[in-house]
Amino acid sequence: MSLNVESPVVSTAPAPQPLRLIDDTGHAVTDNAGDFVLPDPGTLLGLYRQMVVARRFDVQVTALTRQGRLATYPSALGQEACEIAAVASLDPGDWLFPTYRDSIALLTRGVKPEHILASFRGEWHSGYDQYEHRIAPQATPLATQALHAVGLATASKLKQDSTVALTLLGDGATSEGDAHEALNFAAVWQAPVVFVVQNNQFAISVPLDKQMRCRTIADKAIGYGMPGFYVDGNDVAAMYAVTSAAVDRARTGGGPTLVEGLTYRMEAHTNSDDPSRYRAAGDVDVWRRRDPIERLDTYLVSIGALSDQERAGIRDEAEDLAAATRECMMLPVRVDPLELFDHVYADPRAALAEQRAFLAAELAEHAALAGQPPATPSAPTTPSSSTTPAGAHA
Amino acid sequence: MSLNVESPVVSTAPAPQPLRLIDDTGHAVTDNAGDFVLPDPGTLLGLYRQMVVARRFDVQVTALTRQGRLATYPSALGQEACEIAAVASLDPGDWLFPTYRDSIALLTRGVKPEHILASFRGEWHSGYDQYEHRIAPQATPLATQALHAVGLATASKLKQDSTVALTLLGDGATSEGDAHEALNFAAVWQAPVVFVVQNNQFAISVPLDKQMRCRTIADKAIGYGMPGFYVDGNDVAAMYAVTSAAVDRARTGGGPTLVEGLTYRMEAHTNSDDPSRYRAAGDVDVWRRRDPIERLDTYLVSIGALSDQERAGIRDEAEDLAAATRECMMLPVRVDPLELFDHVYADPRAALAEQRAFLAAELAEHAALAGQPPATPSAPTTPSSSTTPAGAHA
Amino acid sequence: MTLQSTISPVVARPPAALTMAAALNAAIHDSMRDDPTVVLFGEDVGPLGGVFRVTDGLYAEFGETRVSDSPLAESGIVGTAIGMAIYGLRPVVEMQFDAFSYPAFEQIVSHLAKMRNRTRGRISLPIVIRIPYAGDIGGVEHHSDSSEAYWSATPGLTVVSPSNPADAYSMLREAIASDDPVIFMEPKSRYWMKEVLSLPVQTTPMNTAVVLREGTDVTLIAYGPTVKTALATAELATAEGLSIEVIDLRSLSPFDDATVGASLRKTSRAAVVHEAAQFGGYGAEVAARLTERNFFHLAAPILRITGFDIPYPSPKLEEYFLPTPDRILAALGTWEWS
Amino acid sequence: MTLQSTISPVVARPPAALTMAAALNAAIHDSMRDDPTVVLFGEDVGPLGGVFRVTDGLYAEFGETRVSDSPLAESGIVGTAIGMAIYGLRPVVEMQFDAFSYPAFEQIVSHLAKMRNRTRGRISLPIVIRIPYAGDIGGVEHHSDSSEAYWSATPGLTVVSPSNPADAYSMLREAIASDDPVIFMEPKSRYWMKEVLSLPVQTTPMNTAVVLREGTDVTLIAYGPTVKTALATAELATAEGLSIEVIDLRSLSPFDDATVGASLRKTSRAAVVHEAAQFGGYGAEVAARLTERNFFHLAAPILRITGFDIPYPSPKLEEYFLPTPDRILAALGTWEWS
Ligand SMILES: Cc1ncc(C[n+]2csc(CCOP(=O)(O)OP(=O)(O)O)c2C)c(N)n1
Ligand SMILES: Cc1ncc(C[n+]2csc(CCOP(=O)(O)OP(=O)(O)O)c2C)c(N)n1
Ligand SMILES: [Mg+2]
Ligand SMILES: [Mg+2]
């Protein structure tokens, strides 16, 4: 008797086709769209604009990193459809839980370039106001942020708020225990949370088939009792349709959803990576032909929703942003060494005050030795008070 | 548009019926047996004997624990079909990775009562020879042992051996990150390992519906790309048929399998638990009528494979074992305090030798004060040498 | 049910003999009553009331919205608590036993401890992680660990441990009210210790050490489960004409240099007692910092009387492992007394 | 491919300038060549050769059976390594950065460290966990942690850290050959340090400390990344007429009391230098035990010159955090010198 016959899943079964609304060549398709429908042209044009701007930003920052202006930068080149669709499906009061890779999602949500890049430039770990933007710090320890998203969503539910949380994850991160715990907690608590896995097919150098053996990441949803969608992650129309529906579902009490966007990491993992060691240039070319921006451009042109003039306007906007980004990355980094001690505890500690005084004295002495005026006396920043953080109850 | 329509799984769908071969009333059934067939009567009689003996042991140990002879004992009363089927499907060279709950699995694999109970009696953490029996220490940190099983199975595969590993897990343990990582590693590495989840519907006080939301634990297999089976865990015939097939499949290069046995924890979690706080006595009664031993007894009698005399013989055997267990649990515990230092490192440490000498002196002094002869001078046990452990290459 | 405020007037309860477990229970209860943002979850903390019954009755009183059994996953518990705290709740979570906090290690060290720092003070995580710790209750393996060295070596965490019911109540209330994440270490062997208390009781602030018994010859520093041992030692020592001052640290991080240093400068000799292994244990920090700051007041090296440098042993062997008054007195006897 | 022995004759390679990364690579290579039970796996250790290229070329040479990229899960990596070791393999695994070892904490503390003890010596776990640690490479958050205090406080683990290419080779070979689990801490900032070596090289045993530079006034104790700092300090100090003896601990657990104690008794003053935060850091154990054992030889308290008690900072701030020769000399200057 063969177990394969009996088994509910044959691991070698081919994966289904990913859900899509616009194909690689820029044509609207319905062959694998479920009952999702194309967003209206205005929405698509908005997504197009955001993708173009985001890509320009991403390319600019990669270039600046190569020039040594940033310590590191994980590019999302090629993944714009996933990033922008995820953000676009959120209301302003919703929360985003991104990773290191998702800088363009932050940009799209309105975070200023210099605040996004503060961390990659080495100024501070997270450089934006998390409550103002309702964006958690970009997470590096993989999959950990998914649990935070579930917790926040659960708190929103307990308070009977309508806030939804959306978290971005990589394909590799789904192997971590925390990804499993997050999906399971979300399902059991029916938390208003959406998991968007950007399956860019690599975890640094490790390809997907060394990461998992199921057909799609979306299949994993079955094991948690939640809906899972396998989507063409380079089709922003499909990604947007699915993530928006998932966000709505979460908001209206329907619980969590897992969305997989099948995409590709066009750049190296970060500037310090060398992809030639683990993948052929030809593979990248295949995916270049599936470019998310190109195909939407073709489609929008074909329905008359994008003129050359509009495109030029968008490109100008993107160039302006790139120029502004360049400019602020050329400014010298300013850090205050004494700030090191300011945000460790809410409740001030004598030992830290001592250490702060020690460093202040050392700095003063160095300045004196160097014949410089002593550093501006910097009063200890008042530790954040115990009032509830603004926006916590949004 | 409703996500539920699109979703590959509707979380509220009823669970399928568990796979079974003998029903609650002791009748052979084929309505939900897949293409599994009843094991032959001789095999079933053997399983019957082992279940009866194991239960008698379990009841005896629970009684001894109530009398204070053991520090704790997690009973497997009601779960004999899962425990015995799992062990019976293994070859002597295979490895078992059990939990604290699986003492009767150890018993069935030939471990002596006093060696099983050494840990629960407080003598030493694990009281049997792991290499002799090919049984890892009973694991308490939940789901951790599943990874060990996957690693051992992978090593067997790398060495082109035929050794299979089988690990037992509880339903609650499946929520831990380690359970996820173990299933995923096993699938990716196609390790010859079998996961047997004893779904006894409780994790201490927490019922299954607060643990997960998918229909069955077996469904989780889909997310790993491995076969999963949902089995009546009180039907030893079905459990044995499925786990044996899974072990064969693993041995012949077919990779891992997840088997869920639906059963019930008839006793408290351990002697220090009070189940009246979280479940109704009536619930237990429902499951008493699904008793795994009763139903097999009925079936074996119905096919003429079990006579009153045979049954009596088996019961005598069980009583003998219970008596022997009682006896050795009445013997005083003997520990050697200086052994504390013997098994911490293979490479002896000066600091531990000092601490050992300190304790030896303290013991001698106490003995002198108490007017007793000094404790037998006990030479430091030679640390295990660096030779490969016996059985490691089985 | 929503998280509406249901503040009831604080009425002092009549004096009653309370166990530490009951005092902890009352502290959670009163915090939940007074602050609707306090929520409680973890393994078996709901209808069962926790394996040590510390959360007994809270599920019945506050309901599913505020008290819930979570799925069985410690990283999940701490990780979701972090998300809840970002949204303005004050979660109190339980790790069932010390060793079962280890799966949550990454969430605790990389996020809980660092979130305020990472976000330049923007995000506070007012979370309490209750951890029943240490041994001496005949627990089988993995049930008697002392993990305080891991937490106290982690900047960003506050680590405290009460040794008696009054402190248990007062310190847990303070921990829940704190805007910093607090690792609240409950000495299992003291859960059943009784004290007559009239709640609510407020003892000295959570971050201060307390001199429990005055003495002139030696400062004996203990916390959690070993406070009882230290007091017994002091009692025994009087027969030998040795006057021991006993300090209950209460707070492991921060360390109360002022109180402990003052005692040490008075006695000029000190020893620290804990259950955990010695090598790299919390006592190393106590000895190192006290020596740094008070070297010229010391008549003898600071001693550490601790568990051996081995894994916590099985029940029948723990008596040989744990520091006893005899062992402490013997250690003090190794000093040269002039 | 099976795990057949393919032992090739050991030929000394001609002297060459080797980085520490290359020396580590050679050590793994030679161990794998000589012992067919050695296997290597982890995140990106295969075709990529690891993010620091420490495993470069090993996949090509030994193939998929012995070198493999694992799924991305650290608990899974350590947990499966344990299973493999039970079956007789000697796994060498990598945690990509220090902070990413934390998900494996439970497997390391509850199993790896305790398995021999739990099984009364029956099961050995000859596993090496390689952890690139510490900072000073401009890494963003979570990439510069120093976790040695956690591991060295855990009985059952051996914890070592080389500071130079020769030790890196010799100690890693010894670690792989050891029947005890070894946490092998590789100072990231030293990966590119070069030394002319002719491999195979065998330095003093892994569990011993080494006096790298003799001196008479002060014993400066360092390990891993701070050895360089200590040597630079000693160099600078000569100008001030101060003679510093520098000790490279090499082994954090066990601690070489004999070598360090002898130096301290000679100089009567000591300081320990590490990157990790001070409170509860490894230096506390160094200071506490040396003081306990050598109190009456000490002219001054043992000092700790370490990172501040804060999370490791961002790249542009790390220069203010890390102990420098200046800071060390300033600290030594706070002693009263008679
Ligand atoms: C817990 C943890 N382990 C390891 C790493 C190191 N690391 C950083 S990114 C990465 C690969 C992640 O791959 P994936 O999740 O697919 O995301 P992608 O980078 O492709 O967006 C690894 C291994 C980490 N950040 N956290
Ligand atoms: C990592 C970890 N967390 C918590 C515990 C405490 N604990 C022991 S048994 C148990 C319930 C386990 O339930 P399940 O996995 O269903 O197994 P069962 O006891 O029902 O056989 C818990 C929470 C533990 N042993 N390990
Ligand atoms: Mg990826
Ligand atoms: Mg269970």
Side-chain angles (χ1 to χ4, degrees), chain A residues 335-384:
Chain A
V335 292
D336 172 8
L338 297 181
E339 194 187 348
L340 280 174
F341 305 94
D342 288 346
H343 317 297
V344 186
Y345 299 97
D347 198 20
R349 288 201 170 188
L352 279 194
E354 278 174 29
Q355 294 176 21
R356 186 179 196 282
F358 167 85
L359 180 59
E362 190 186 75
L363 292 170
E365 200 188 326
H366 287 186
L369 283 175
Q372 294 158 3
T376 335
S378 130
T381 307
T382 328
S384 307

Coordinates of all heavy atoms in Angstrom, one line a residue, chain A residues 335-384:
Chain A
V335 N 25.5 62.8 14.9 CA 25.0 62.0 16.0 C 25.4 62.7 17.3 O 26.4 63.4 17.3 CB 25.6 60.6 16.0 CG1 25.0 59.8 14.8 CG2 27.1 60.6 15.9
D336 N 24.6 62.4 18.3 CA 25.0 62.9 19.7 C 25.4 61.7 20.5 O 24.5 60.9 20.9 CB 23.8 63.6 20.3 CG 24.0 64.0 21.7 OD1 25.2 63.8 22.2 OD2 23.1 64.5 22.4
P337 N 26.7 61.6 20.8 CA 27.1 60.4 21.5 C 26.4 60.2 22.9 O 26.1 59.1 23.3 CB 28.6 60.6 21.8 CG 29.0 61.6 20.8 CD 27.8 62.4 20.4
L338 N 26.0 61.3 23.5 CA 25.3 61.2 24.8 C 23.9 60.7 24.7 O 23.3 60.2 25.7 CB 25.4 62.5 25.5 CG 26.9 63.0 25.8 CD1 26.9 64.3 26.6 CD2 27.6 61.9 26.6
E339 N 23.4 60.7 23.5 CA 22.0 60.1 23.3 C 22.0 58.6 23.5 O 21.0 58.0 23.7 CB 21.5 60.5 21.9 CG 20.0 60.2 21.8 CD 19.4 60.3 20.4 OE1 20.1 60.9 19.5 OE2 18.3 59.9 20.2
L340 N 23.2 58.0 23.5 CA 23.4 56.6 23.7 C 22.6 56.1 24.9 O 22.1 55.0 25.0 CB 24.8 56.2 23.8 CG 25.7 56.1 22.6 CD1 27.1 55.9 22.9 CD2 25.1 54.9 21.7
F341 N 22.6 57.0 25.9 CA 22.0 56.6 27.2 C 20.6 57.0 27.4 O 20.0 56.7 28.5 CB 22.9 57.2 28.3 CG 24.4 56.9 28.2 CD1 25.2 57.8 27.5 CD2 24.8 55.7 28.7 CE1 26.6 57.4 27.4 CE2 26.2 55.3 28.5 CZ 27.0 56.2 27.9
D342 N 20.0 57.7 26.5 CA 18.7 58.3 26.7 C 17.5 57.3 26.6 O 16.5 57.6 27.2 CB 18.5 59.4 25.7 CG 19.4 60.6 26.1 OD1 19.9 60.6 27.2 OD2 19.5 61.5 25.2
H343 N 17.6 56.3 25.8 CA 16.4 55.5 25.5 C 16.5 54.1 26.0 O 15.9 53.2 25.3 CB 16.1 55.6 24.0 CG 16.3 56.9 23.4 ND1 15.6 58.0 23.8 CD2 17.2 57.4 22.5 CE1 16.0 59.1 23.1 NE2 16.9 58.7 22.3
V344 N 17.3 53.8 27.0 CA 17.4 52.4 27.4 C 16.3 52.0 28.3 O 15.7 51.0 28.2 CB 18.8 52.2 28.0 CG1 19.0 50.7 28.3 CG2 19.9 52.7 27.0
Y345 N 16.0 52.9 29.3 CA 14.9 52.7 30.2 C 14.0 53.9 30.3 O 14.5 55.0 30.2 CB 15.5 52.4 31.6 CG 16.4 51.2 31.7 CD1 17.8 51.3 31.6 CD2 15.8 49.9 31.8 CE1 18.6 50.2 31.6 CE2 16.6 48.8 31.8 CZ 18.0 48.9 31.7 OH 18.8 47.8 31.8
A346 N 12.8 53.7 30.6 CA 11.9 54.8 30.9 C 12.2 55.3 32.3 O 12.2 56.5 32.6 CB 10.4 54.3 30.9
D347 N 12.5 54.4 33.2 CA 12.9 54.8 34.6 C 14.4 55.0 34.6 O 15.2 54.1 34.4 CB 12.5 53.5 35.4 CG 12.4 53.9 36.9 OD1 12.2 55.1 37.2 OD2 12.5 53.0 37.7
P348 N 14.8 56.3 34.9 CA 16.3 56.5 34.8 C 17.1 55.7 35.8 O 16.6 55.3 36.9 CB 16.4 58.0 35.3 CG 15.0 58.5 35.4 CD 14.0 57.4 35.4
R349 N 18.3 55.3 35.4 CA 19.1 54.5 36.2 C 20.4 55.2 36.6 O 21.1 55.8 35.8 CB 19.6 53.2 35.5 CG 18.4 52.3 35.3 CD 19.0 50.9 35.0 NE 17.9 50.0 35.1 CZ 18.0 48.7 35.0 NH1 19.2 48.1 34.9 NH2 17.0 47.9 35.1
A350 N 20.7 55.1 37.9 CA 21.9 55.8 38.4 C 23.2 55.3 37.7 O 24.0 56.1 37.3 CB 22.1 55.5 39.9
A351 N 23.3 54.0 37.4 CA 24.5 53.5 36.7 C 24.6 54.1 35.3 O 25.7 54.4 34.9 CB 24.4 52.0 36.7
L352 N 23.5 54.3 34.6 CA 23.6 54.9 33.3 C 24.0 56.3 33.4 O 24.7 56.9 32.5 CB 22.3 54.6 32.5 CG 22.2 53.3 31.9 CD1 21.0 53.3 30.9 CD2 23.4 52.8 31.2
A353 N 23.5 57.0 34.4 CA 23.8 58.4 34.5 C 25.3 58.6 34.8 O 26.0 59.4 34.2 CB 23.0 59.0 35.7
E354 N 25.9 57.6 35.5 CA 27.3 57.6 35.8 C 28.1 57.4 34.5 O 29.1 58.1 34.2 CB 27.7 56.4 36.7 CG 27.6 56.7 38.1 CD 27.9 55.4 38.9 OE1 28.6 54.5 38.4 OE2 27.3 55.2 40.0
Q355 N 27.6 56.5 33.7 CA 28.3 56.1 32.4 C 28.2 57.3 31.4 O 29.1 57.6 30.7 CB 27.7 54.9 31.8 CG 28.0 53.6 32.7 CD 27.4 52.3 32.2 OE1 27.1 52.2 31.1 NE2 27.3 51.4 33.2
R356 N 27.0 58.0 31.5 CA 26.8 59.1 30.6 C 27.8 60.2 31.0 O 28.5 60.8 30.2 CB 25.4 59.6 30.8 CG 25.0 60.7 29.9 CD 23.5 61.1 30.1 NE 23.0 61.9 29.0 CZ 23.3 63.2 28.8 NH1 24.0 63.8 29.7 NH2 22.8 63.8 27.8
A357 N 27.9 60.4 32.3 CA 28.8 61.5 32.8 C 30.3 61.1 32.4 O 31.1 62.0 32.0 CB 28.7 61.6 34.3
F358 N 30.6 59.8 32.5 CA 31.9 59.4 32.1 C 32.2 59.7 30.6 O 33.2 60.3 30.3 CB 32.0 57.9 32.3 CG 33.3 57.3 31.7 CD1 34.5 57.3 32.3 CD2 33.2 56.7 30.4 CE1 35.6 56.7 31.7 CE2 34.3 56.2 29.8 CZ 35.5 56.2 30.5
L359 N 31.2 59.4 29.8 CA 31.5 59.7 28.3 C 31.5 61.2 28.1 O 32.3 61.6 27.3 CB 30.3 59.0 27.5 CG 30.5 59.2 26.0 CD1 31.8 58.7 25.4 CD2 29.3 58.6 25.2
A360 N 30.7 61.9 28.8 CA 30.7 63.4 28.6 C 32.1 63.9 28.9 O 32.6 64.8 28.2 CB 29.6 64.0 29.4
A361 N 32.6 63.4 30.0 CA 33.9 63.9 30.5 C 35.0 63.5 29.4 O 35.9 64.3 29.1 CB 34.3 63.3 31.8
E362 N 34.9 62.3 29.0 CA 35.9 61.8 28.0 C 35.8 62.7 26.7 O 36.8 63.1 26.2 CB 35.6 60.4 27.6 CG 36.7 59.7 26.8 CD 36.3 58.3 26.4 OE1 35.4 58.1 25.5 OE2 36.8 57.3 27.0
L363 N 34.6 63.0 26.3 CA 34.4 63.8 25.1 C 35.0 65.2 25.3 O 35.7 65.8 24.4 CB 32.9 63.9 24.7 CG 32.3 62.6 24.2 CD1 30.8 62.8 24.1 CD2 32.9 62.2 22.9
A364 N 34.7 65.7 26.5 CA 35.2 67.1 26.8 C 36.8 67.1 26.8 O 37.4 68.0 26.2 CB 34.7 67.5 28.1
E365 N 37.3 66.0 27.3 CA 38.8 65.9 27.4 C 39.4 65.8 26.0 O 40.3 66.5 25.6 CB 39.2 64.7 28.2 CG 40.6 64.8 28.8 CD 41.0 63.5 29.5 OE1 40.0 62.9 30.1 OE2 42.1 63.1 29.4
H366 N 38.8 65.0 25.2 CA 39.2 64.8 23.8 C 39.2 66.1 23.1 O 40.1 66.5 22.3 CB 38.4 63.7 23.1 CG 38.8 62.4 23.5 ND1 38.3 61.2 22.9 CD2 39.6 61.9 24.5 CE1 38.7 60.2 23.5 NE2 39.5 60.5 24.5
A367 N 38.1 66.8 23.3 CA 37.9 68.1 22.6 C 39.0 69.1 23.0 O 39.6 69.8 22.2 CB 36.5 68.6 22.9
A368 N 39.2 69.1 24.4 CA 40.2 70.0 24.9 C 41.6 69.6 24.3 O 42.3 70.5 23.9 CB 40.2 69.9 26.4
L369 N 41.9 68.4 24.3 CA 43.2 67.9 23.7 C 43.3 68.4 22.3 O 44.4 68.8 21.8 CB 43.3 66.4 23.8 CG 43.7 65.9 25.2 CD1 43.7 64.3 25.1 CD2 45.0 66.4 25.6
A370 N 42.2 68.2 21.5 CA 42.2 68.6 20.1 C 42.1 70.1 20.0 O 42.1 70.6 18.8 CB 41.1 67.9 19.4
G371 N 42.1 70.8 21.1 CA 42.0 72.3 21.0 C 40.7 72.8 20.5 O 40.5 73.9 20.0
Q372 N 39.6 71.9 20.5 CA 38.3 72.3 20.1 C 37.5 72.8 21.2 O 37.8 72.5 22.4 CB 37.5 71.1 19.5 CG 38.1 70.6 18.2 CD 37.7 69.1 18.0 OE1 36.9 68.6 18.7 NE2 38.2 68.6 16.9
P373 N 36.5 73.6 20.9 CA 35.6 74.0 22.0 C 34.9 72.7 22.5 O 34.6 71.8 21.7 CB 34.6 75.0 21.4 CG 34.7 74.6 19.9 CD 36.1 74.1 19.6
P374 N 34.6 72.6 23.8 CA 33.9 71.5 24.3 C 32.6 71.3 23.5 O 32.0 72.3 23.1 CB 33.7 71.7 25.8 CG 33.9 73.2 25.9 CD 34.9 73.6 24.8
A375 N 32.2 70.0 23.3 CA 30.9 69.7 22.7 C 29.8 70.5 23.4 O 29.9 70.7 24.6 CB 30.6 68.2 22.7
T376 N 28.8 70.9 22.6 CA 27.6 71.5 23.2 C 27.2 70.7 24.4 O 26.9 69.5 24.3 CB 26.5 71.6 22.2 OG1 27.0 71.5 20.9 CG2 25.6 72.8 22.4
P377 N 27.1 71.4 25.6 CA 26.6 70.6 26.7 C 25.2 70.1 26.4 O 24.3 70.9 26.0 CB 26.6 71.6 27.8 CG 26.7 72.9 27.2 CD 27.3 72.8 25.9
S378 N 25.0 68.8 26.4 CA 23.7 68.3 26.0 C 23.0 67.7 27.2 O 23.5 66.7 27.8 CB 23.9 67.2 24.9 OG 23.3 66.0 25.2
A379 N 21.9 68.3 27.6 CA 21.2 67.8 28.8 C 20.6 66.4 28.5 O 20.3 66.2 27.3 CB 20.1 68.8 29.1
P380 N 20.6 65.6 29.5 CA 20.0 64.3 29.2 C 18.6 64.5 28.7 O 17.8 65.3 29.2 CB 19.9 63.6 30.6 CG 20.6 64.5 31.5 CD 20.9 65.8 30.9
T381 N 18.3 63.8 27.6 CA 16.9 63.8 27.1 C 16.0 63.3 28.1 O 16.3 62.3 28.7 CB 16.8 63.0 25.8 OG1 17.9 63.4 24.9 CG2 15.5 63.1 25.1
T382 N 14.9 64.0 28.3 CA 13.9 63.5 29.3 C 13.4 62.1 28.8 O 13.0 62.0 27.7 CB 12.7 64.4 29.4 OG1 13.2 65.7 29.2 CG2 12.0 64.3 30.7
P383 N 13.5 61.1 29.6 CA 12.9 59.8 29.2 C 11.5 60.0 28.8 O 10.8 60.8 29.5 CB 13.1 58.9 30.4 CG 13.7 59.7 31.5 CD 14.0 61.1 31.0
S384 N 11.0 59.3 27.8 CA 9.6 59.4 27.4 C 8.8 59.2 28.6 O 9.0 58.3 29.4 CB 9.3 58.3 26.4 OG 10.2 58.3 25.4

